[in-house]
Amino acid sequence: MTIAAPAQAGTSSAPRDVGAASRLPATEVLHRLGSSDARGLSSTDVSERRARWGPNAVSSHRARFWPVLWHQLRSPLLALLLTAALASYFVGEKSDAVIIAVIVALSVGLGFVNEYRAEKAAEALHDQIHHETVVTRDGSRSTVDVTELVPGDLVDLRLGDIVPADLRLIGATGLACDESVLTGESLPVDKNTDPVAGATPLAEMTDCALMGTVVNAGSGRGVVVSTGTSTEFGKIAVGLSTHQLDTEFQVGLRKFSMLLVYVAGALTTSIFVLNVAFSKPIMDALLFSLAIAVGITPQLLPAVVSSSLAAGSRRMSRLKVLVKRLVCIEDLGNVDVLFTDKTGTLTAGRIDYTRAVAADGAPAACQTQAVLRWGLVATENIAADGTAVGGNALDQALWAAPDVAAQLADVTAYHRLGVLPFDHERNMVSVLVQGSDQRRTLVTKGAPEAVLERCLHVSPSARTALATEFAAGNRVIAVATRTVPIDHPLTTADEHDLDLIGFLVFLDPPKPDAGKALQRLARLGIAVKVVTGDNPAVAVKVCRDLGLSDGVALTGADVAALDDVALARAIEGTTVFARVSPEDKARIVRTQRKTGGAVAFLGDGVNDALALHAADVGISVDSATDVAKDAADVILLEKDLDVLADGVAEGRRIFANTIKYVLMGTSSNFGNMFSAAGASLFLSFLPMLPSQILLNNLLYDSSQLAISTDRVDEEQLRSPAHWDLAFIRRFMVFFGPLSSVFDFVTFGVMLWIFHAGAEEFRSGWFVESLATQTLVVFAIRTRRVPFFRSHPSLPLALAAVSVVVIGAVLPLTPLAHTLGFSPLPAAFFAALAAMVIGYLILIEAGKLIFYRMAASHPRPRRRYTKARALRRRAARFSVGRLRRPARTVTSARRSG
């Protein structure tokens, strides 16, 4: 939402969009927006602009009553059926019309209640997630939800952030943004504050940061020009959809439903024409044809899917896995490649400082104490009393060492003059200090490879000592110094001609249970690959100890030397990637994604944010940095691969249970409707009344709502289960006729053994069709033969048996006459038992043949489209019911 100039901003109008702002100097944009680079907007300005322009959102995730109800009513077949029932009411068939209307209302109500509950669960889930950004208001910095931004707000950008609105940059330090979600350009775009020429394309607006793009490097600051649907990102996102992102499974279900609609349309037309040709009453033929069409179409399919996903999110929470959106459940189940950091995942994550090693390897206490002292001095964030503030895990472990107390006086004696912060290009931190003797010393601490190559001389004994520590799997930091002239400005160019002091050795042992967790992921068909900034020898040692790899590591330098094609080949045969930068991690993930399937990345640091954004499924942990958690799709409440395996298995279980419902509908249900169509051609009466068909369908669907609770065989969890419409179509063609076989056997039994009239015939077939299509779930739900080797859940078993019992006793109840039923002889139930047993045996034989043939068909690999990625990114700019007040940014948070 762009704004016109407020009254206090002067007579010039504010830029209407980011394109106009990009052509103006930053100071002019600030003036026209009535903002200040020192104080930002006032609270009054923010309130007025929020009331005028609304939230910074491109969609709403609220559960909406009427759209959900319309979702249940929009079936054209349902509308035709109700229209025909209304017509029959006025021509005298009042009781049949009322029964049909009641059954349709119950069916719609059942679907509505379940789907609306699932929408409410999704809303509650989304309301738990808050994406925040740092703004300056009333002269102070605070964090606010991204949806609370208004034009004129000043926003800070840092590595890994998703740009929360269209910004005109007023400050940039090495800033680069990945704009592929908007422009398709794979390379990051360098940013600055200089205005661009008129009519500049979106991809060349180097003085603007656009909503939805990712900060790839550096930091910056900008003023909000456009928000919500007025942004470049918002215009595209709204054009795609304002509803929550559908899963790939839901998209496939819609395609499948349309297939059944076409089948139903063809079947309905044929049945109606043939029944009229055989001199059946036109109204009866029409209602019968439409009822069959409704019976074929899976009315409760959306409710089954939504209920399964909502129930799955609750189960995942109990398993210590928090999904930000329901779509993430299916995404997690689809993962077949996991890239993960080493620290805290494969190792204990409890880093302990063990000892210092002098440059010459000598154990003399004075030399090792010097190494420790200089290591403490070279701490990036240090308080006035000489203690560390925040910092990375290695610094925290170093300062927690028992030997520090004896060194503290010497450390505080140095006066800090400047700091060159750690970055992943240099892999080191340098601190300029002045001692009591007024001599200035540059102290550098960092990755041994980076520090050693900047040293004047490294003795063979030092290299041997370093190799020994790496071979033992220890983490090592090198410390070096050099004297710097007085009044010399500190720059990265000073990090040369260093004198190696020695090494600081840290221990982060492998987790005792990490090996078992890796084996479990392997059984789930997930290839685990380690990406770490640690030394290659250390990473390979840890992985070898856990049984993950016996090969060599690919380093960041190796990755940089490969093009994308060569890198894709290298990734396939590599398990360990070491000394990689954040950009390397993201590139590795993007390259793997191009091969198909779903790629997950597990990380918890600021340097992991780019890879988390690049992955199909970004996974972080509750103890991670804010940037990492904000970038992730899934949050693990415990950094444990076993917890992740639980989440993957749950995602696959939900998919497997939902596909059971689809396979049921394409076999027994479809077969029964096909049988009804065939029987109507040779019987002098309708084989089942329209109301009976609808009641049969309602009872059957009700029993299947419990399918979301079912157990899933272990072998079905061993690999991702992707949506495969061709497989379902083959299943329908194969098993549908098997169901019809026993329907026609029932016809023969009723006509030639029991000599049934119309009402008794309909009663017998109603009971038999409901029993077979409901009980066959016990065979269809598993690929095991015989099916009783796999045990269903208790709710599903009770639901299926209860529906069969209800169907069997209906002809004996007072409702029988109203529904067009009559009591059945006791001998019928003996025949029914024989037919159900025979049907299940036939299905079991069919399973052996079908799944043997199915094994020869290639399984589809999932590919994520750009539109899907854009809609997934848009979900973070979604309006919820809950709001959290802004909070002041503390110094500790800024330092972290």
Side-chain angles (χ1 to χ4, degrees):
M1 298 128 187
T2 53
I3 67 169
Q8 70 269 30
T11 57
S12 300
S13 62
R16 298 296 300 174
D17 56 39
V18 73
S22 68
R23 297 189 291 271
L24 297 174
T27 53
E28 180 68 17
V29 175
L30 281 168
H31 173 71
R32 294 192 184 188
L33 286 165
S35 189
S36 161
D37 62 352
R39 296 190 57 80
L41 296 176
S42 68
S43 299
T44 303
D45 289 336
V46 171
S47 298
E48 290 175 352
R49 298 183 188 202
R50 186 180 300 134
R52 180 178 182 185
W53 300 109
N56 177 36
V58 299
S59 66
S60 170
H61 61 260
R62 292 182 180 178
R64 293 166 293 175
F65 181 94
W66 295 112
V68 175
L69 182 59
W70 171 245
H71 195 239
Q72 299 296 319
L73 294 173
R74 66 182 179 179
S75 167
L77 294 174
L78 203 62
L80 282 174
L81 180 63
L82 289 174
T83 302
L86 186 63
S88 69
Y89 179 88
F90 287 108
V91 298
E93 304 272 347
K94 294 186 178 181
S95 60
D96 283 349
V98 170
I99 291 171
I100 291 173
V102 169
I103 293 174
V104 168
L106 288 173
S107 179
V108 169
L110 186 63
F112 170 78
V113 168
N114 279 277
E115 189 167 355
Y116 189 70
R117 283 177 58 195
E119 289 270 337
K120 293 293 287 184
E123 178 186 313
L125 177 65
H126 205 126
D127 281 337
Q128 295 177 42
I129 307 302
H130 297 272
H131 299 287
E132 297 180 327
T133 189
V134 178
V135 300
T136 300
R137 291 175 178 172
D138 292 317
S140 62
R141 295 168 73 239
S142 61
T143 60
V144 300
D145 195 288
V146 294
T147 60
E148 298 291 340
L149 290 179
V150 297
D153 265 328
L154 294 184
V155 177
D156 290 351
L157 299 176
R158 55 184 176 175
L159 178 67
D161 280 351
I162 291 182
V163 180
D166 280 355
L167 309 179
R168 172 61 169 91
L169 294 172
I170 61 175
T173 304
L175 183 65
C177 293
D178 178 354
E179 298 180 342
S180 58
V181 72
L182 287 179
T183 65
E185 175 59 50
S186 59
L187 295 177
V189 179
D190 292 329
K191 299 292 183 177
N192 55 57
T193 60
D194 299 329
V196 298
T200 300
L202 196 65
E204 297 176 14
M205 289 184 186
T206 53
D207 63 337
C208 295
L210 305 174
M211 175 193 260
T213 61
V214 181
V215 178
N216 186 270
S219 60
R221 200 177 193 215
V223 59
V224 175
V225 176
S226 303
T227 59
T229 55
S230 292
T231 63
E232 299 301 320
F233 179 87
K235 294 171 187 175
I236 301 173
V238 168
L240 288 173
S241 175
T242 58
H243 193 262
Q244 286 196 44
L245 182 63
D246 287 334
T247 68
E248 193 76 7
F249 186 62
Q250 288 169 321
V251 172
L253 287 178
R254 278 203 301 272
K255 293 178 181 178
F256 171 66
S257 296
M258 288 308 301
L259 170 66
L260 290 187
V261 167
Y262 294 141
V263 172
L267 199 58
T268 299
T269 304
S270 303
I271 292 171
F272 177 72
V273 171
L274 291 172
N275 273 271
V276 171
F278 281 89
S279 302
K280 305 276 178 68
I282 292 179
M283 189 57 66
D284 288 351
L286 179 61
L287 286 172
F288 177 73
S289 303
L290 291 173
I292 284 181
V294 171
I296 291 175
T297 53
Q299 287 292 117
L300 288 188
L301 199 52
V304 169
V305 175
S306 300
S307 298
S308 295
L309 290 174
S313 71
R314 292 190 292 271
R315 280 193 295 270
M316 282 189 162
S317 294
R318 291 194 292 270
L319 294 171
K320 301 181 180 180
V321 181
L322 175 64
V323 292
K324 290 186 176 180
R325 292 171 293 279
L326 293 183
V327 63
C328 303
I329 297 175
E330 185 200 346
D331 290 341
L332 192 57
N334 276 328
V335 167
D336 47 21
V337 176
L338 169 67
F339 292 98
T340 180
D341 190 14
K342 174 177 66 67
T343 304
T345 307
L346 302 181
T347 64
R350 187 189 66 257
I351 301 175
D352 296 318
Y353 168 74
T354 59
R355 62 186 177 280
V357 177
D360 59 2
C366 60
Q367 291 178 294
T368 56
Q369 290 300 315
V371 178
L372 175 60
R373 181 176 67 254
W374 286 121
L376 292 169
V377 169
T379 300
E380 187 169 330
N381 301 304
I382 194 166
D385 62 356
T387 58
V389 178
N392 58 54
L394 292 173
D395 274 345
Q396 292 172 10
L398 182 64
W399 279 85
D403 297 341
V404 169
Q407 296 282 339
L408 199 55
D410 292 336
V411 172
T412 55
Y414 289 98
H415 177 57
R416 293 165 64 92
L417 302 175
V419 178
L420 294 173
F422 178 91
D423 65 50
H424 291 278
E425 294 295 326
R426 294 161 37 249
N427 274 325
M428 63 181 68
V429 58
S430 292
V431 177
L432 180 62
V433 296
Q434 182 173 291
S436 57
D437 59 358
Q438 304 303 308
R439 190 172 71 170
R440 296 191 174 187
T441 305
L442 176 70
V443 189
T444 298
K445 179 175 71 177
E449 302 93 322
V451 174
L452 264 58
E453 71 178 11
R454 289 167 169 80
C455 290
L456 282 171
H457 174 69
V458 180
S459 67
S461 60
R463 295 190 184 277
T464 300
L466 179 62
T468 300
E469 299 297 342
F470 280 155
N474 295 326
R475 300 185 68 171
V476 182
I477 296 295
V479 181
T481 64
R482 69 176 286 238
T483 301
V484 177
I486 295 177
D487 297 329
H488 179 77
L490 179 62
T491 68
T492 55
D494 295 316
E495 295 173 326
H496 66 87
D497 295 340
L498 302 172
D499 295 317
L500 180 65
I501 302 298
F503 306 105
L504 301 170
V505 182
F506 300 83
L507 179 64
D508 184 16
K511 280 186 178 179
D513 56 351
K516 291 182 179 179
L518 288 170
Q519 292 173 10
R520 186 179 173 199
L521 288 171
R523 290 195 299 271
L524 289 171
I526 298 176
V528 178
K529 298 179 183 291
V530 176
V531 286
T532 178
D534 209 344
N535 178 268
V538 174
V540 170
K541 171 69 165 56
V542 171
C543 292
R544 185 179 296 119
D545 289 346
L546 294 172
L548 186 59
S549 171
D550 285 326
V552 297
L554 203 65
T555 66
D558 298 330
V559 170
L562 300 173
D563 60 23
D564 286 351
V565 176
L567 179 58
R569 288 196 298 266
I571 290 173
E572 187 176 355
T574 304
T575 300
V576 180
F577 301 84
R579 288 289 190 237
V580 287
S581 67
E583 292 78 11
D584 291 333
K585 294 180 182 180
R587 184 183 170 214
I588 290 168
V589 170
R590 283 194 299 267
T591 303
Q592 177 62 33
R593 284 185 64 198
K594 294 176 184 177
T595 65
V599 178
F601 183 89
L602 172 58
D604 60 359
V606 173
N607 58 324
D608 295 319
L610 298 179
L612 287 166
H613 287 309
D616 295 316
V617 187
I619 306 169
S620 193
V621 293
D622 195 41
S623 58
T625 61
D626 288 346
V627 173
K629 287 195 289 187
D630 191 56
D633 304 298
V634 177
I635 304 293
L636 305 182
L637 301 183
E638 187 176 315
K639 193 172 183 181
D640 189 328
L641 290 179
D642 252 331
V643 173
L644 177 59
D646 288 338
V648 171
E650 181 62 24
R652 293 180 183 178
R653 194 189 69 81
I654 291 169
F655 184 96
N657 280 337
T658 311
I659 207 72
K660 290 173 188 176
Y661 177 86
V662 176
L663 297 181
M664 290 282 292
T666 56
S667 55
S668 59
N669 198 29
F670 179 81
N672 285 340
M673 296 305 104
F674 187 79
S675 303
S680 67
L681 301 181
F682 65 81
L683 291 175
S684 59
F685 52 86
L686 292 177
M688 201 181 290
L689 296 177
S691 59
Q692 293 169 345
I693 292 176
L694 295 175
L695 179 60
N696 183 296
N697 197 48
L698 175 63
L699 290 172
Y700 164 76
D701 277 344
S702 300
S703 72
Q704 299 310 300
L705 286 174
I707 209 164
S708 63
T709 68
D710 194 24
R711 300 186 182 97
V712 176
D713 297 337
E714 183 182 349
E715 56 267 27
Q716 287 186 261
L717 301 177
R718 289 176 183 165
S719 61
H722 302 296
W723 176 259
D724 187 354
L725 186 59
F727 172 84
I728 295 171
R729 193 184 299 118
R730 293 193 300 269
F731 194 95
M732 178 176 66
V733 172
F734 186 90
F735 285 97
L738 296 184
S739 173
S740 294
V741 167
F742 278 85
D743 288 331
F744 283 102
V745 170
T746 303
F747 299 159
V749 168
M750 297 305 296
L751 292 174
W752 299 322
I753 296 179
F754 295 109
H755 306 289
E759 283 195 358
E760 192 177 27
F761 181 94
R762 291 166 182 156
S763 301
W765 188 40
F766 178 89
V767 173
E768 182 273 338
S769 66
L770 185 60
T772 53
Q773 72 173 343
T774 302
L775 294 177
V776 77
V777 69
F778 298 122
I780 297 297
R781 59 171 294 277
T782 178
R783 296 189 178 191
R784 294 178 182 176
V785 178
F787 67 84
F788 48 77
R789 291 172 52 220
S790 175
H791 303 294
S793 69
L794 182 60
L796 178 62
L798 290 176
V801 173
S802 297
V803 163
V804 172
V805 171
I806 290 172
V809 301
L810 264 179
L812 304 173
T813 66
L815 290 174
H817 178 72
T818 303
L819 295 172
F821 295 134
S822 64
L824 293 164
F828 168 79
F829 293 98
L832 174 64
M835 285 186 288
V836 169
I837 292 172
Y839 178 46
L840 292 176
I841 292 173
L842 183 61
I843 291 295
E844 291 295 275
K847 280 164 56 179
L848 290 173
I849 299 171
F850 178 81
Y851 286 117
R852 190 177 297 120
M853 293 189 302
S856 63
H857 292 275
R859 301 182 65 172
R861 290 184 66 80
R862 179 174 183 172
R863 292 186 182 275
Y864 290 83
T865 63
K866 180 184 176 183
R868 175 185 170 81
L870 190 146
R871 289 185 61 201
R872 191 160 157 243
R873 184 71 52 81
R876 68 190 292 112
F877 303 105
S878 178
V879 183
R881 294 185 183 277
L882 302 181
R883 288 288 183 268
R884 293 198 296 181
R887 68 175 189 269
T888 301
V889 179
T890 64
S891 59
R893 189 179 191 279
R894 285 196 296 269
S895 67

